[in-house]
Every structure is written in C-alpha cells, then in structure tokens.
C-alpha cells in the first residue's frame, strides 16, 4: 500500500457555542489541514495520484474557509476541530477512484490536532 499526504492551512476566527471557558469568545487560529489518501495500484509511470490534484482539491476548501468567521458557515456546525475535520473530509469528494481518502487531520495549534475518518 502507498499513503500520500498533502497539507494546506487557513486563518479564521471562531467561537465555540455552548463551551464554558475562554474559547466561547471570538478568537482566531491558523489551522493546518492534512489530507491522507491510500491506495495500492500505481499508474504506468509509478504515480498513485498526482500531489497537485490532491492539493488543488484541498485548497479549494481551505480558500473557502480562509479569513472567514467559521460560525457563519452553517454546514460546519459548531466550529470545533472535530466538526472542521469532518467538513473537510466530506467536501473532498471526487478524488480519483484509484485512491481511498483515509483521513483528514486538522491542527488547531502546534500541539493539538483532531482526525476524522470513515
Ligand atoms: Zn479556538
């Protein structure tokens, strides 16, 4: 099996609804987003999937989130790292059939991340 990973990042503000603590106030993060795909069959030049294809698909999503107030994006729900990672995963449809989307990892800070996978 092969595993490929691409990353992107975005800056955005959010507040956690229903949270008891300072994260209930509006604040911002630079979120790093990693996407992992796996597969076992390479094409005839030895590529699983073009890194550029993956990056373009991921950046379409992160550009939508960049410099936004995440609470305005109703599809995400309460903008926790958990919900953001699921949102990215579920919007990464249309990947080449030869690969399986393994997981999306969202870093809220250099020491905290959440992964979503199905
Ligand atoms: Zn936060």
């Amino acid at each position: 099996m092969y595993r490929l990973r691409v990353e992107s990042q975005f800056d955005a503000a959010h507040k956690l609804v229903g949270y008891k603590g300072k994260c209930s106030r509006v604040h911002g993060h630079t979120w790093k987003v990693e996407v992992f795909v796996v597969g076992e069959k390479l094409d005839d030049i030895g590529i699983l999937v073009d890194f550029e294809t993956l990056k373009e698909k991921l950046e379409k999503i992160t550009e939508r989130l960049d410099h936004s107030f995440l609470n305005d994006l109703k599809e995400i729900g309460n903008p926790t790292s958990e919900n953001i990672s699921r949102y990215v995963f579920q919007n990464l449809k249309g990947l080449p059939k030869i690969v399986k989307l393994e997981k999306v990892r969202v870093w809220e800070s250099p020491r905290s991340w959440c992964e979503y996978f199905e």
Side-chain angles (χ1 to χ4, degrees):
M1 295 288 284
Y2 302 93
R3 175 181 290 124
L4 260 67
R5 169 191 165 279
V6 293
E7 72 170 69
S8 179
Q9 64 176 46
F10 65 95
D11 300 302
H14 76 162
K15 62 177 184 175
L16 299 185
V17 178
Y19 183 81
K20 295 201 185 2
K22 61 182 183 178
C23 291
S24 64
R25 299 201 297 262
V26 177
H27 61 282
H29 296 278
T30 296
W31 272 276
K32 183 167 96 175
V33 184
E34 297 174 279
V35 170
F36 298 81
V37 300
V38 294
E40 54 185 342
K41 284 208 177 76
L42 304 183
D43 68 12
D44 50 5
I45 63 164
I47 287 177
L48 178 66
V49 59
D50 193 335
F51 282 115
E52 287 308 313
T53 304
L54 284 180
K55 261 184 130 178
E56 275 169 28
K57 289 190 184 296
L58 174 58
E59 283 171 0
K60 256 188 203 158
I61 299 168
T62 52
E63 276 167 24
R64 215 182 296 154
L65 303 179
D66 194 35
H67 288 72
S68 72
F69 179 48
L70 297 173
N71 296 69
D72 287 341
L73 292 156
K74 299 298 173 215
E75 314 95 276
I76 295 178
N78 203 16
T80 58
S81 292
E82 290 86 339
N83 281 336
I84 295 166
S85 59
R86 191 199 65 243
Y87 173 83
V88 173
F89 187 101
Q90 292 178 342
N91 280 278
L92 273 170
K93 301 294 179 199
L95 293 178
K97 285 201 175 57
I98 201 153
V99 292
K100 176 186 187 295
L101 178 55
E102 184 188 30
K103 63 187 175 186
V104 169
R105 180 183 294 158
V106 167
W107 295 75
E108 181 167 294
S109 75
R111 283 180 288 199
S112 308
W113 54 253
C114 172
E115 287 181 348
Y116 180 83
F117 52 94
E118 293 181 348

